[in-house]
Amino acid sequence: MKSHIQSLLEQTVATLKQQGLIPEETAPRIQVDRTKDKSHGDLATNLAMMLTKAAGKPPRELAQLIIDNLPASSHVAKVEIAGPGFINFFIDDSALAKQLQAALADEHLGVSLPKSQTVVVDYSSPNLAKEMHVGHLRSTIIGDSVVRALEFLGHKVIRQNHVGDWGTQFGMLLAYMEELRAQNGENANLELSDLESFYRAAKLRFDESAEFATRARQLVVELQSGDEYCNKLWREFNDISLSHCHDVYQRLGVSLTRADVHGESAYNDDLEQVVKDLDAQGLLSESNGAKVVFQEEFRNKDGEALPVIIQKADGGYLYATTDLAAMRYRSGTLHADRALYFVDLRQALHFQQVFSLARTAGFVRPEMTLEHMGFGTMNGEDGRPFKTRSGGVVKLVDLLDEANVRALELVRSKNPDMDEDTLAEIARVVGIASVKYADLSKNRASDYIFSFDQMLSFEGNTAPYLLYAYTRVAGIFKRAEDVDLSNAVIALEHDKEKELGNKLAQFGEILARMVDKGQPHVLCGYLFELAGAFSSFYEACPVLAADNETQKHSRLLLSQLTAKTLKQGLSLLGIETLERM
Ligand code: ARG
């Protein structure tokens, strides 16, 4: 409905231009907002105030002109001028009811699809040298839910798992793998089942044995020169490490596949060219033997220029060099309209620098956007970065195991008589959903405190609350299985029906905002409000015990659309629903 009003206003602006009332070149950003107080209508715009300067007329007078030229619409029951020149729209209830009825029959739940874009989404992107840890959790689940919403809206999404699969630390790891194999044969692969301790053991060998360290350095050189044996070793190592990641993805219900892996090593052959191109454009400077780029706008707090290092004195390339190559690939080969990066906010400066450099160097098409969707740190209940009791990094798998154990306790306490298999399945869903939802429901830019107690609570904006709300709505149908709804019609009479109807109609604009800003918490907040609107409706408006069949049918349809919207919304967050819990 919001976009409908927006398009009515766009047409009106065009008419005013034709009439010479506002200059041809004015291009106001037409904003339509939902009103808080429904006695002022459902939607409002400040367009008259925005145009008052261009038109040289006072806002209230202009507001009247806009109203006079507004195309007729059956969706608008009444339009009013308010305050200094706001225009308030009252939405026609029967038009809204028809819109909801149509949504019910539509696979996109009535959401109007925007012009389709190609969107590259860089997310998860762990370093393969080590075990995936909680720091990668946020990137993986926030990125995956934005990906799902983009696809639902009809965009072409290209997932890019930009894994760290290259760099000097691989020399050390390969040398250790080689050593273990010489001792234990293929059994050595077993050692890799715990990458974290494998890494530590390799590091220990590197520090204690000069001979080992020399071999490690030699392997780096051989790896880079494409040596067959060394590359095979490297591929085997990465393959094992990646399989750990994919176990986690599968468990989390994340949509990344092996085909989405396009790691740092994929750009090796392009790096030399990146340096040449920067050089040809006169962008490179020399700093202690390294090749760097200084950009005017990047300085530290003492005003000193901050360089982007492109190539080290020893010829090695850096993280930034690879990102430049990746941007060129995403623009030139993948033809992205947007490239989104779900990466820790601590890398904000890195992205500002390489984005700006890629533009200056012409590595990306001017119309392609580069968007760092940064996120804050996940902290423990002490407010400090999340660690194990002994101070080590928490492995993702261990975290999920604990969530599962706690969810099982919770579900069992609510259902003492349930059989073990059912309990286990419900606990699996609730455990994963709680971890994901706790993260997704916070504004990604803020740090947040990871708390099992909070995320597994049935109160507030949590996964258990929403999953339970869904089972309640779905439960109404179980009791109304034999009702024939084929001729049922939605009518919005009671205030609570109208409020619920209005909420339901917002699904599309919420999704548009979520993918535009890369903010799943917008969808979480919406689903929480929707569940609340349904509760109030259900309290005030008996469904199965309605006054008459027509009313009962209408209310059943409203419940059905609520259930579908909750389920679809949760699924875009990557969360499974349950029929009972
Ligand atoms: N592997 C990096 C890390 O763990 C994240 C990579 C993000 N993507 C990128 N294009 N730089 O910090």
Side-chain angles (χ1 to χ4, degrees):
M1 210 50 91
K2 197 172 141 176
S3 58
H4 175 66
I5 301 294
Q6 227 147 6
S7 87
L8 293 180
L9 288 168
E10 270 163 32
Q11 295 173 46
T12 312
V13 169
T15 317
L16 294 181
K17 283 184 189 173
Q18 273 166 17
Q19 299 178 3
L21 290 164
I22 46 173
E24 195 51 48
E25 64 277 9
T26 27
R29 221 177 71 95
I30 298 180
Q31 208 174 317
V32 176
D33 293 313
R34 297 210 169 255
T35 53
K36 294 235 159 56
D37 177 356
K38 293 294 162 207
S39 64
H40 294 155
D42 300 293
L43 297 164
T45 183
N46 62 352
L47 183 62
M49 278 107 109
M50 302 264 296
L51 288 177
T52 179
K53 226 177 162 177
K57 289 197 191 336
R60 284 188 69 100
E61 190 181 319
L62 198 54
Q64 190 56 53
L65 266 172
I66 293 174
I67 294 176
D68 294 344
N69 285 288
L70 206 64
S73 161
S74 60
H75 291 292
V76 180
K78 191 166 70 164
V79 194
E80 273 178 9
I81 304 178
F86 286 106
I87 304 174
N88 293 343
F89 296 85
F90 292 77
I91 299 303
D92 185 83
D93 291 331
S94 67
L96 177 60
K98 273 203 202 107
Q99 184 194 342
L100 299 175
Q101 185 110 24
L104 208 43
D106 175 24
E107 59 169 330
H108 284 97
L109 298 176
V111 170
S112 55
L113 304 186
K115 182 165 169 285
S116 173
Q117 292 185 311
T118 299
V119 189
V120 165
V121 186
D122 181 324
Y123 71 109
S124 194
S125 308
N127 296 326
L128 297 187
K130 294 194 178 180
E131 194 96 34
M132 213 172 149
H133 60 79
V134 293
H136 294 109
L137 178 69
R138 302 207 73 189
S139 174
T140 305
I141 65 187
I142 300 172
D144 202 53
S145 93
V146 173
V147 158
R148 285 164 189 264
L150 282 163
E151 284 181 335
F152 180 77
L153 292 175
H155 296 296
K156 178 181 168 199
V157 175
I158 305 175
R159 297 162 173 78
Q160 292 284 281
N161 195 355
H162 189 91
V163 298
D165 58 356
W166 199 251
T168 44
Q169 77 271 42
F170 280 90
M172 172 184 100
L173 297 168
L174 298 188
Y176 190 56
M177 195 157 141
E178 191 177 56
E179 198 169 79
L180 285 179
R181 284 197 179 168
Q183 287 161 10
N184 318 333
E186 288 300 315
N187 276 340
N189 281 357
L190 276 180
E191 306 270 344
L192 277 165
S193 61
D194 186 344
L195 270 182
E196 216 50 48
S197 52
F198 184 89
Y199 188 95
R200 254 179 304 177
K203 179 85 174 62
L204 209 66
R205 285 289 290 137
F206 188 88
D207 293 339
E208 77 187 5
S209 155
E211 209 180 320
F212 181 93
T214 309
R215 177 66 185 143
R217 289 197 193 95
Q218 187 187 5
L219 280 170
V220 176
V221 176
E222 285 176 11
L223 184 63
Q224 284 173 348
S225 65
D227 173 78
E228 183 62 38
Y229 159 80
C230 190
N231 270 270
K232 183 162 171 286
L233 211 57
W234 170 78
R235 274 196 307 275
E236 282 167 0
F237 178 89
N238 280 339
D239 194 58
I240 298 173
S241 180
L242 260 176
S243 71
H244 293 314
C245 298
H246 281 272
D247 288 347
V248 174
Y249 297 153
Q250 195 175 16
R251 196 153 161 205
L252 278 173
V254 162
S255 67
L256 283 166
T257 67
R258 287 277 186 136
D260 304 318
V261 175
H262 204 88
E264 295 184 9
S265 66
Y267 300 100
N268 283 341
D269 295 342
D270 307 333
L271 302 178
E272 202 184 313
Q273 193 60 40
V274 166
V275 179
K276 279 192 189 148
D277 287 349
L278 292 172
D279 200 20
Q281 300 193 47
L283 291 165
L284 287 183
S285 314
E286 187 94 1
S287 171
N288 299 325
K291 294 190 168 120
V292 307
V293 179
F294 288 107
Q295 302 177 93
E296 256 319 299
E297 63 273 41
F298 296 102
R299 300 183 173 276
N300 68 13
K301 47 183 186 311
D302 301 323
E304 291 163 283
L306 286 171
V308 181
I309 308 175
I310 304 293
Q311 191 171 22
K312 290 187 289 188
D314 68 5
Y317 300 105
L318 292 106
Y319 187 52
T321 328
T322 309
D323 259 325
L324 288 169
M327 278 185 273
R328 188 144 70 169
Y329 170 73
R330 291 166 187 188
S331 176
T333 308
L334 300 180
H335 306 289
D337 297 303
R338 299 175 71 191
L340 315 184
Y341 292 76
F342 288 90
V343 187
D344 198 311
L345 267 175
R346 284 175 286 198
Q347 295 189 29
L349 179 64
H350 163 77
F351 284 111
Q352 284 163 22
Q353 288 185 301
V354 294
F355 286 175
S356 145
L357 179 53
R359 291 237 179 267
T360 310
F363 287 173
V364 294
R365 297 166 0 267
E367 67 276 17
M368 165 173 154
T369 63
L370 296 163
E371 305 168 55
H372 177 206
M373 303 291 189
F375 50 81
T377 311
M378 181 167 133
N379 289 326
E381 302 210 42
D382 57 0
R384 298 250 178 89
F386 206 76
K387 291 271 161 65
T388 58
R389 261 187 211 115
S390 56
V393 282
V394 178
K395 282 199 243 163
L396 215 39
V397 208
D398 295 340
L399 189 94
L400 296 178
D401 284 344
E402 179 156 0
N404 201 359
V405 170
R406 292 187 185 233
L408 185 62
E409 264 168 46
L410 177 77
V411 181
R412 184 176 278 136
S413 72
K414 299 255 175 213
N415 306 282
D417 302 326
M418 201 177 259
D419 68 274
E420 284 303 313
D421 286 352
T422 317
L423 275 177
E425 174 58 8
I426 297 180
R428 180 189 67 79
V429 174
V430 173
I432 296 289
S434 300
V435 172
K436 290 177 94 169
Y437 194 85
D439 199 311
L440 293 168
S441 57
K442 316 282 189 313
N443 185 332
R444 63 172 159 74
S446 4
D447 294 348
Y448 85 101
I449 293 188
F450 185 93
S451 154
F452 279 119
D453 290 335
Q454 194 268 327
M455 72 178 68
L456 284 164
S457 161
F458 273 92
E459 260 130 69
N461 188 8
T462 64
Y465 171 82
L466 274 175
L467 290 175
Y468 185 66
Y470 175 77
T471 62
R472 278 203 354 173
V473 192
I476 297 174
F477 295 104
K478 270 198 210 126
R479 284 177 281 138
E481 246 161 8
D482 43 353
V483 181
D484 175 13
L485 290 174
S486 48
N487 294 314
V489 176
I490 295 182
L492 302 172
E493 280 151 6
H494 197 285
D495 272 353
K496 297 291 171 196
E497 290 175 328
K498 290 180 195 173
E499 275 167 35
L500 177 59
N502 259 306
K503 258 290 147 238
L504 286 166
Q506 287 172 34
F507 190 45
E509 59 194 69
I510 293 293
L511 294 185
R513 222 165 84 206
M514 163 178 175
V515 302
D516 183 38
K517 305 242 162 69
Q519 291 180 329
H521 81 276
V522 171
L523 176 57
C524 295
Y526 167 78
L527 294 176
F528 180 59
E529 283 169 24
L530 177 62
F534 183 82
S535 275
S536 316
F537 151 81
Y538 196 58
E539 245 166 61
C541 307
V543 176
L544 297 175
D547 292 344
N548 53 58
E549 289 298 291
T550 317
Q551 193 180 59
K552 171 167 150 186
H553 291 176
S554 163
R555 289 178 178 174
L556 275 170
L557 290 186
L558 273 176
S559 310
Q560 199 170 38
L561 186 57
T562 306
K564 281 192 174 189
T565 308
L566 283 175
K567 192 183 176 91
Q568 182 64 63
L570 286 166
S571 136
L572 296 180
L573 295 170
I575 291 176
E576 291 174 63
T577 45
L578 293 159
E579 295 308 312
R580 64 176 177 144
M581 67 183 277

mmCIF file of all heavy atoms in Angstrom, residues 6 128 147 176 190 247 269 355 483 517 548 556:
data_model
loop_
_atom_site.group_PDB
_atom_site.id
_atom_site.type_symbol
_atom_site.label_atom_id
_atom_site.label_comp_id
_atom_site.label_asym_id
_atom_site.label_seq_id
_atom_site.Cartn_x
_atom_site.Cartn_y
_atom_site.Cartn_z
ATOM 1 N N GLN A 6 3.097 5.887 -2.911
ATOM 2 C CA GLN A 6 4.300 6.490 -3.469
ATOM 3 C C GLN A 6 4.148 6.720 -4.980
ATOM 4 O O GLN A 6 4.499 7.779 -5.479
ATOM 5 C CB GLN A 6 5.476 5.545 -3.216
ATOM 6 C CG GLN A 6 6.680 6.230 -2.667
ATOM 7 C CD GLN A 6 7.445 5.321 -1.712
ATOM 8 O OE1 GLN A 6 7.122 4.132 -1.557
ATOM 9 N NE2 GLN A 6 8.445 5.876 -1.063
ATOM 10 N N LEU A 128 41.001 -20.891 6.271
ATOM 11 C CA LEU A 128 41.052 -22.354 6.302
ATOM 12 C C LEU A 128 42.203 -22.899 7.135
ATOM 13 O O LEU A 128 42.220 -24.078 7.480
ATOM 14 C CB LEU A 128 41.120 -22.913 4.882
ATOM 15 C CG LEU A 128 39.892 -22.603 4.004
ATOM 16 C CD1 LEU A 128 40.003 -23.355 2.682
ATOM 17 C CD2 LEU A 128 38.593 -22.963 4.705
ATOM 18 N N VAL A 147 20.865 -12.995 1.880
ATOM 19 C CA VAL A 147 20.863 -13.726 0.611
ATOM 20 C C VAL A 147 19.471 -14.324 0.322
ATOM 21 O O VAL A 147 18.930 -14.205 -0.779
ATOM 22 C CB VAL A 147 21.931 -14.854 0.662
ATOM 23 C CG1 VAL A 147 21.649 -15.944 -0.343
ATOM 24 C CG2 VAL A 147 23.317 -14.264 0.428
ATOM 25 N N TYR A 176 54.101 -29.542 8.356
ATOM 26 C CA TYR A 176 53.691 -30.404 9.467
ATOM 27 C C TYR A 176 52.914 -31.620 8.966
ATOM 28 O O TYR A 176 53.091 -32.748 9.428
ATOM 29 C CB TYR A 176 52.866 -29.591 10.471
ATOM 30 C CG TYR A 176 52.622 -30.337 11.761
ATOM 31 C CD1 TYR A 176 53.683 -30.830 12.522
ATOM 32 C CD2 TYR A 176 51.326 -30.562 12.217
ATOM 33 C CE1 TYR A 176 53.469 -31.522 13.696
ATOM 34 C CE2 TYR A 176 51.091 -31.247 13.400
ATOM 35 C CZ TYR A 176 52.161 -31.733 14.136
ATOM 36 O OH TYR A 176 51.940 -32.412 15.299
ATOM 37 N N LEU A 190 43.885 -37.918 10.336
ATOM 38 C CA LEU A 190 43.068 -37.889 11.548
ATOM 39 C C LEU A 190 43.403 -36.677 12.407
ATOM 40 O O LEU A 190 42.535 -36.073 13.026
ATOM 41 C CB LEU A 190 43.303 -39.159 12.371
ATOM 42 C CG LEU A 190 42.478 -40.364 11.949
ATOM 43 C CD1 LEU A 190 42.821 -41.549 12.843
ATOM 44 C CD2 LEU A 190 40.985 -40.046 12.025
ATOM 45 N N ASP A 247 30.296 -28.909 7.358
ATOM 46 C CA ASP A 247 29.538 -29.595 8.417
ATOM 47 C C ASP A 247 28.777 -28.562 9.246
ATOM 48 O O ASP A 247 27.612 -28.750 9.594
ATOM 49 C CB ASP A 247 30.491 -30.360 9.347
ATOM 50 C CG ASP A 247 31.073 -31.596 8.673
ATOM 51 O OD1 ASP A 247 30.542 -31.986 7.602
ATOM 52 O OD2 ASP A 247 32.062 -32.153 9.196
ATOM 53 N N ASP A 269 46.589 -15.471 -9.925
ATOM 54 C CA ASP A 269 47.116 -15.114 -11.240
ATOM 55 C C ASP A 269 46.805 -13.670 -11.634
ATOM 56 O O ASP A 269 47.347 -13.172 -12.609
ATOM 57 C CB ASP A 269 46.559 -16.071 -12.302
ATOM 58 C CG ASP A 269 47.047 -17.503 -12.063
ATOM 59 O OD1 ASP A 269 48.045 -17.658 -11.317
ATOM 60 O OD2 ASP A 269 46.425 -18.435 -12.600
ATOM 61 N N PHE A 355 37.852 0.087 -1.388
ATOM 62 C CA PHE A 355 36.715 0.505 -2.223
ATOM 63 C C PHE A 355 37.082 1.784 -2.973
ATOM 64 O O PHE A 355 36.864 1.910 -4.181
ATOM 65 C CB PHE A 355 35.461 0.772 -1.370
ATOM 66 C CG PHE A 355 34.782 -0.471 -0.836
ATOM 67 C CD1 PHE A 355 33.685 -0.361 0.039
ATOM 68 C CD2 PHE A 355 35.195 -1.744 -1.201
ATOM 69 C CE1 PHE A 355 33.037 -1.492 0.540
ATOM 70 C CE2 PHE A 355 34.561 -2.891 -0.698
ATOM 71 C CZ PHE A 355 33.489 -2.754 0.165
ATOM 72 N N VAL A 483 -13.199 -27.189 7.897
ATOM 73 C CA VAL A 483 -13.909 -26.002 7.400
ATOM 74 C C VAL A 483 -13.509 -25.743 5.954
ATOM 75 O O VAL A 483 -12.326 -25.704 5.622
ATOM 76 C CB VAL A 483 -13.573 -24.754 8.260
ATOM 77 C CG1 VAL A 483 -14.342 -23.541 7.754
ATOM 78 C CG2 VAL A 483 -13.857 -25.020 9.722
ATOM 79 N N LYS A 517 19.433 -2.347 3.356
ATOM 80 C CA LYS A 517 20.403 -1.993 4.388
ATOM 81 C C LYS A 517 21.206 -3.211 4.863
ATOM 82 O O LYS A 517 22.107 -3.063 5.686
ATOM 83 C CB LYS A 517 19.657 -1.417 5.598
ATOM 84 C CG LYS A 517 18.751 -0.240 5.248
ATOM 85 C CD LYS A 517 19.198 1.008 5.982
ATOM 86 C CE LYS A 517 18.669 2.282 5.407
ATOM 87 N NZ LYS A 517 17.239 2.470 5.577
ATOM 88 N N ASN A 548 -20.678 -15.605 13.477
ATOM 89 C CA ASN A 548 -21.331 -16.324 12.375
ATOM 90 C C ASN A 548 -20.266 -16.930 11.466
ATOM 91 O O ASN A 548 -19.080 -16.652 11.632
ATOM 92 C CB ASN A 548 -22.238 -15.366 11.586
ATOM 93 C CG ASN A 548 -21.445 -14.129 11.148
ATOM 94 O OD1 ASN A 548 -20.434 -14.250 10.452
ATOM 95 N ND2 ASN A 548 -21.887 -12.944 11.582
ATOM 96 N N LEU A 556 -10.418 -16.939 9.985
ATOM 97 C CA LEU A 556 -9.535 -18.070 9.672
ATOM 98 C C LEU A 556 -8.542 -17.683 8.569
ATOM 99 O O LEU A 556 -7.359 -18.034 8.618
ATOM 100 C CB LEU A 556 -10.348 -19.297 9.253
ATOM 101 C CG LEU A 556 -10.851 -20.169 10.407
ATOM 102 C CD1 LEU A 556 -11.841 -21.219 9.899
ATOM 103 C CD2 LEU A 556 -9.691 -20.864 11.136
#
